[in-house]
Amino acid sequence: MEKVILDCDCTFDLPGCDVDDGLTIMYLLGAPQIDLLGVTLDHGNSDWAGVLASTRRLQQRLNLPFEYYFAADTGEQPQLAASDFLVQTVNAHPHEITLLGTGGLTNIKRAIAKDPLFLNKVKRVVLMGGNCFPLVINGHEVGELNFSIDPDAAQLIFASSVPLVIMNGHMTTEALFSRDFNRRLDTALQAQLTADQYEYYTKAIDDWITLQNHDLDLDGFCNWDITTAVYLEHPEFFTEEQVALTAEQPLLASVGRLNFDNRAHRLAAMPAHIKDISSFNQLVYQRLLAGLSNK
């Protein structure tokens, strides 16, 4: 079993916000070889309070068995802050935990502040974020969020020696959650979920598909964040490119742009493509069904 902590900005049911963090939680719960130790809530798709409220509803409405941890930035006082959970859990399982980061990464920055050796005790970090050049989908430029919202947090991870994988915005556009895929999944979920669960799930997904069709002319939406979870189970579904990150990342804060130099010493895996999209989609289908089975 691979021990995993997901640091994310889940906004599954918030109008106008991405659903992919929520889908990533469902995927991880449905993966038999992944032990989801906890979900730490960051900012990004929404503010801290919006992410917390959405995650609570997601867990309650779909009866999902995961623990989540948040920061006082939400306006509520947590029993155990997200950064404290990260430090305590990694110290309890040194070199065993993979961190998935699909949000602003501020919780990880705070964990490093509390324990400067924090990343030395992490098995590896898999991030969704960044771009190499302007990201354009069907003629529409799409802004970067996860690295640019707290560039200092991303830079701390880049400056460490922890094994690092980056799923950038270009590659993850290939992970299309299409209308056809959605219809197939809906048919199976209608027989599996209660009427209330099914209505909650399908409304969030259908609203996001409608918005992405309007904004980006997509017949579905890019399932950006779920690529991090798929990579854990099947890295062979992706191409095997590696990049050398420079110490200075001058455009990270403004546009989330990653800077490379072959002479740099900080290496990271950064797949350029999903090379087996059929197997990728079939795995996502299976894991989402299992994650929503409430078993």
Side-chain angles (χ1 to χ4, degrees), residues 111-249:
I112 296 167
K114 292 177 178 180
D115 179 358
L117 297 179
F118 173 75
L119 287 177
N120 294 0
K121 292 170 275 191
V122 170
K123 178 181 176 181
R124 61 176 165 171
V125 174
V126 183
L127 304 177
M128 189 279 132
N131 57 49
C132 308
F133 44 83
L135 175 58
V136 179
I137 299 176
N138 294 329
H140 306 279
E141 187 164 349
V142 179
E144 201 279 340
L145 178 66
N146 290 350
F147 292 171
S148 58
I149 196 170
D150 190 346
D152 292 340
Q155 286 272 45
L156 284 171
I157 298 170
F158 297 169
S160 76
S161 59
V162 66
L164 176 62
V165 182
I166 299 174
M167 316 300 269
N168 68 49
H170 309 289
M171 181 275 291
T172 52
T173 61
E174 298 176 9
L176 183 67
F177 192 107
S178 69
R179 288 186 188 272
D180 286 343
F181 180 89
N182 185 47
R183 281 190 286 267
R184 179 183 168 216
L185 186 59
D186 274 2
T187 299
L189 288 175
Q190 192 165 20
Q192 177 176 301
L193 300 178
T194 67
D196 180 70
Q197 290 172 335
Y198 181 76
E199 179 184 8
Y200 173 79
Y201 171 88
T202 55
K203 183 180 188 313
I205 297 294
D206 291 347
D207 285 355
W208 186 240
I209 288 176
T210 298
L211 185 63
Q212 293 297 278
N213 180 255
H214 177 271
D215 290 350
L216 300 177
D217 298 312
L218 279 172
D219 189 32
F221 60 85
C222 298
N223 204 358
W224 324 90
D225 292 342
I226 214 166
T227 58
T228 61
V230 174
Y231 185 88
L232 294 188
E233 291 196 284
H234 289 283
E236 72 276 10
F237 288 177
F238 303 85
T239 56
E240 300 178 5
E241 290 78 9
Q242 194 173 58
V243 296
L245 294 163
T246 58
E248 298 296 324
Q249 295 284 329

